[in-house]
Amino acid sequence: MYDPTRLAALVAVAEAGSITRAAARLGYTAPALSQQIAKLEREAGAALLVRHHRGARLTAAGELLVGRARRILDEMDLARHELARLSGLSGGRLRVGTFTTAGIHLLPPVLSAFRRAHPDVELAVTEYEPPDGVAAVAAGEVDLALTHVYEPAAAAAWPSGVFAEPLLVEELVLITAVGQMLSEGTGRLPVTELAGRPLVSSAPTHPPRRGVEQALAEAGATPAVVCESPGYALVCALVSAGIGMAVVPEMVAAMSSTPLSVRRLEPASFRRTISMVHRGDRASAAAATLQALLRSGFGRAASAQRPGGEGG
């Protein structure tokens, strides 16, 4: 039995003509999408794609499976729509909170699937800089929100009655302009190598900056911060222009519109966890349906737990 998420991934590659473009559309990194396709090929027992310098094309087996997959996915959308009418999802309003990166790269394909299945539900999306989305869920301003937590960072107190499900864990990576010295290695770069180097950093209170500065301080070194910006798009543009280097989530690096070199850091404990925040059993039918789509879309959801690792 084929995984619908992998079938949708194959259809997206067929429509986009490349794994990179399909990954951007679905909110995956290209390596993650390649893994989904590889698993589907193992399930099918045949090669489904032929990769070339311009992208990827379907094999005969891929063409056959894409045709079937489109019909399967259409039937699943129809079933969701019909079930929604039975459960009262034929109207009302769904309010969703998100932060910028998730709002651009992760949420749109999930909301698109929700809209196809439940066109009568009004959607409202509001942007919150984490952890403000958590407070918005607790206050009832939104039905659910996407937020993130960085490591290393101090644990924050979360409101009672608010639950989080981790959807995606990504490393923080070093980005530099193409051709810079630190971009030439292939292994992990010790974070102490950033000492004294020009660092394009986020705002002083931003968790990635605090984590990197803490690691450097423990090694007796400090970075030379040349710019402070709260926005990753500006950080990436400045790095690409050679102003300095930066530490950002790997999704930010992969989706940058400007050319960058990327290198992983040592220790590998610098990471960001993206979670879905909701009010548990008090969720509306529309919110519960979107939660299920998010779990299916990411395929990495854990059991509902309070942020910080406490269950319940």
Side-chain angles (χ1 to χ4, degrees):
M1 192 145 177
Y2 298 122
D3 186 316
T5 302
R6 293 170 193 155
L7 291 176
L10 181 64
V11 171
V13 174
E15 293 174 348
S18 99
I19 288 178
T20 300
R21 289 191 293 272
R25 179 185 302 178
L26 294 174
Y28 287 101
T29 62
L33 186 58
S34 292
Q35 290 177 9
Q36 293 292 327
I37 297 298
K39 290 177 182 177
L40 184 59
E41 288 179 324
R42 287 196 293 271
E43 290 175 347
L48 303 175
L49 292 176
V50 175
R51 294 162 178 78
H52 52 83
H53 67 284
R54 291 185 177 180
R57 63 176 176 81
L58 295 171
T59 63
E63 292 278 6
L64 186 152
L65 190 55
V66 162
R68 299 288 187 182
R70 286 194 174 106
R71 288 195 286 273
I72 290 169
L73 294 172
D74 287 344
E75 286 295 322
M76 291 179 67
D77 280 344
L78 180 60
R80 280 193 291 266
H81 183 63
E82 292 173 346
L83 287 170
R85 291 190 177 278
L86 291 176
S87 61
L89 272 172
S90 57
R93 192 166 188 245
L94 178 61
R95 302 162 301 165
V96 182
T98 184
F99 59 97
T100 302
T101 307
I104 294 173
H105 301 302
L106 301 180
L107 194 56
V110 178
L111 289 181
S112 177
F114 181 90
R115 174 54 62 85
R116 289 196 304 271
H118 314 299
D120 298 329
V121 177
E122 180 185 350
L123 287 171
V125 180
T126 304
E127 186 175 352
Y128 294 95
E129 181 64 24
D132 294 345
V134 179
V137 172
E141 296 172 4
V142 293
D143 298 297
L144 61 90
L146 293 178
T147 190
H148 58 59
V149 174
Y150 285 91
E151 295 179 40
W158 288 59
S160 61
V162 173
F163 300 84
E165 296 183 39
L167 297 173
L168 177 67
V169 179
E170 55 178 342
E171 283 191 40
L172 303 185
V173 296
L174 177 70
I175 56 172
T176 67
V178 176
Q180 281 199 357
M181 182 179 66
L182 291 185
S183 69
E184 295 174 356
T186 56
R188 288 184 178 273
L189 180 76
V191 71
T192 52
E193 290 292 320
L194 303 185
R197 298 184 184 275
L199 190 67
V200 178
S201 181
S202 299
T205 58
H206 203 235
R209 174 169 172 177
R210 292 203 307 266
V212 170
E213 288 184 347
Q214 178 182 342
L216 289 174
E218 291 172 353
T222 56
V225 177
V226 298
C227 179
E228 295 177 357
S229 169
Y232 279 134
L234 178 55
V235 168
C236 290
L238 292 174
V239 169
S240 181
I243 305 302
M245 57 196 64
V247 177
V248 301
E250 56 185 333
M251 185 191 310
V252 171
M255 301 298 183
S256 173
S257 60
T258 55
L260 297 167
S261 288
V262 180
R263 191 164 177 190
R264 296 190 180 276
L265 293 169
E266 180 65 41
S269 56
F270 295 99
R271 54 183 175 262
R272 177 172 77 167
T273 299
I274 297 174
S275 298
M276 169 177 61
V277 182
H278 55 82
R279 293 189 294 275
D281 293 340
R282 294 180 294 159
S284 66
T289 300
L290 185 60
Q291 290 171 28
L293 285 172
L294 284 165
R295 293 184 194 108
S296 174
F298 283 84
R300 304 179 186 181
S303 300
Q305 60 176 11
R306 290 190 190 281
E310 297 180 10

